[in-house]
Amino acid sequence: MDKNGIYEDDSLYIADTYARYRVAFKDGKGAKLYDFNGKEYIDCATGIGVNIFGVNDEEWKQAVKAQLDSVQHVCNLYYSLPQIELAKLLCQKTGASKVFFGNSGAEANECAIKAARKYGNTRYGNRNEIITLKNSFHGRTIATITATGQDGFHKYFEPFLDGFKYAEPTMDGIFSCYTDKTCAVMVEVIQGESGVNVLDFTFLKELEKFCKERDILLICDEVQCGNGRSGYLYAYEAAGISPDIVTTAKGLGGGLPIGACMFFGKCGGIFGRGDHGTTFGGNPVACAGAVSIVERLTPQLLLEVQGKGAYFKLNLEHIKNVTSVSGMGLMIGIGTTKPAREIAQECLEKGLVVLTAHDKVRLLPPLTITKEEINTSLKILNEVISQ
């Protein structure tokens, strides 16, 4: 099938929920992608932060293939070694006491929401409200879209679940939403979908103190900014806070669907048997791939991510028509005087894959992107943005 056949069949058979760019990728290696005409692209999108070590990563592939040669699926009625290995690795690296595996960031956040409500209701009775932040994004299920603090995602899907309030990312905003029914506050240290906005660290530390004094759970959604993306294993570490629950997905699986909800301290025993479950969550193939990812998120690699991010940002700030550069590590938002979608399209034509986030251009390159590939990316961005 040629590329035109792909476009035609997609329009015929796939639900029209995506504003796709007119390109179909055939293969790639590392930070390079190739379309069906053989054209080369530098990938600064990584499938929205999923292919964290790039395309066709050898170590990840070998881990996945080895598990496929063993057993492709074991349901959660039985023990699964890759699942146990991944949970142990995450707990040892973060200090978490327990992990629940799902298949996506939305599922990880659903798990966190259920856990927070069980904690509040069983300890205090009828304490089940969750505060999230304006401009947050937590998923597209009914619960997680309700938790999302953006009106644009709410259109058409009423009625929503009760028990969510949306605060400005300030302590005054938190106080205005807090009641004696508040069981948790859920935040993204870096709000990816709304423009790569890094929350103020002073606010986060004050929020942590506020929550601990009232036995309110602090939940950090690290679905996009986690797993080394920020230059830290998880972005909450950069803020110097200790959340009660951490959710993550995307880059954790390296290309296969997986989500994780990590419980810390007093939250380790929230769930009992039958409280939550999943058929595919913790799939052994996905977990085997994830083990190969997490094992390589070393302090040395994280320092390299910080350095690459600083280099990107320093050079982006000097491009004509750039009005702002935000983010941490290799999670970068670029504000410009030109429409973000237009920039993304022009970059694609020149061989660079980028994302958008509201009115910003968003970069999520592989953590292993080379200096040469960064320089080529910057050259194309300069050509497109400064016109």
Side-chain angles (χ1 to χ4, degrees), residues 115-361:
R117 287 188 166 175
K118 182 181 178 186
Y119 184 87
N121 286 332
T122 55
R123 284 209 171 196
Y124 300 99
N126 200 32
R127 184 191 273 199
N128 46 40
E129 291 182 350
I130 297 174
I131 298 172
T132 65
L133 301 183
K134 293 182 179 179
N135 291 317
S136 61
F137 179 83
H138 298 294
R140 293 180 183 270
T141 64
I142 287 297
T144 56
I145 204 173
T146 305
T148 292
Q150 300 186 58
D151 290 341
F153 287 101
H154 294 171
K155 190 177 180 182
Y156 305 125
F157 303 116
E158 298 92 347
F160 294 108
L161 301 180
D162 292 332
F164 289 93
K165 294 184 176 181
Y166 313 113
E168 294 289 346
T170 64
M171 287 313 300
D172 285 343
I174 297 295
F175 277 116
S176 71
C177 293
Y178 167 70
T179 72
D180 60 3
K181 290 186 177 182
T182 303
C183 67
V185 179
M186 189 174 190
V187 303
E188 301 160 278
V189 176
I190 309 173
Q191 295 180 325
E193 296 299 322
S194 60
V196 196
N197 305 313
V198 182
L199 296 186
D200 181 76
F201 288 176
T202 300
F203 160 66
L204 288 172
K205 288 181 178 179
E206 291 175 354
L207 176 61
E208 178 190 32
K209 182 173 182 289
F210 170 89
C211 290
K212 288 189 184 303
E213 289 173 348
R214 294 161 177 80
D215 197 22
I216 295 169
L217 300 186
L218 178 57
I219 304 169
C220 282
D221 176 343
E222 299 256 358
V223 169
Q224 188 171 143
C225 61
N227 308 299
R229 173 62 58 190
S230 68
Y232 294 81
L233 184 59
Y234 292 102
Y236 70 82
E237 297 172 353
I241 60 174
S242 299
D244 300 294
I245 300 175
V246 174
T247 61
T248 193
K250 291 192 184 291
L252 177 63
L256 288 175
I258 191 171
C261 185
M262 294 180 274
F263 301 100
F264 293 74
K266 63 190 177 185
C267 293
I270 288 178
F271 281 146
R273 293 178 181 179
D275 283 339
H276 200 40
T278 169
T279 297
F280 289 104
N283 170 270
V285 178
C287 284
V291 167
S292 81
I293 297 294
V294 177
E295 285 180 336
R296 286 182 282 165
L297 296 175
T298 62
Q300 178 60 39
L301 176 70
L302 297 175
L303 285 174
E304 291 174 6
V305 171
Q306 292 178 28
K308 291 173 183 178
Y311 182 77
F312 248 125
K313 291 174 75 174
L314 179 65
N315 284 275
L316 288 167
E317 288 167 352
H318 291 91
I319 293 177
K320 180 183 176 184
N321 297 329
V322 167
T323 58
S324 66
V325 181
S326 61
M328 288 175 55
L330 290 174
M331 184 175 180
I332 299 169
I334 311 167
T336 78
T337 58
K338 296 178 67 175
R341 177 85 184 187
E342 179 182 316
I343 291 171
Q345 179 61 51
E346 291 181 23
C347 283
L348 199 60
E349 291 166 4
K350 292 178 178 289
L352 176 65
V353 185
V354 301
L355 298 162
T356 62
H358 280 207
D359 59 349
K360 291 183 181 179
V361 176

Side-chain angles (χ1 to χ4, degrees), residues 6-18 20:
I6 291 173
Y7 302 150
E8 290 168 2
D9 282 359
D10 181 274
S11 66
L12 282 171
Y13 301 115
I14 303 293
D16 191 21
T17 57
Y18 303 106
R20 299 194 199 274

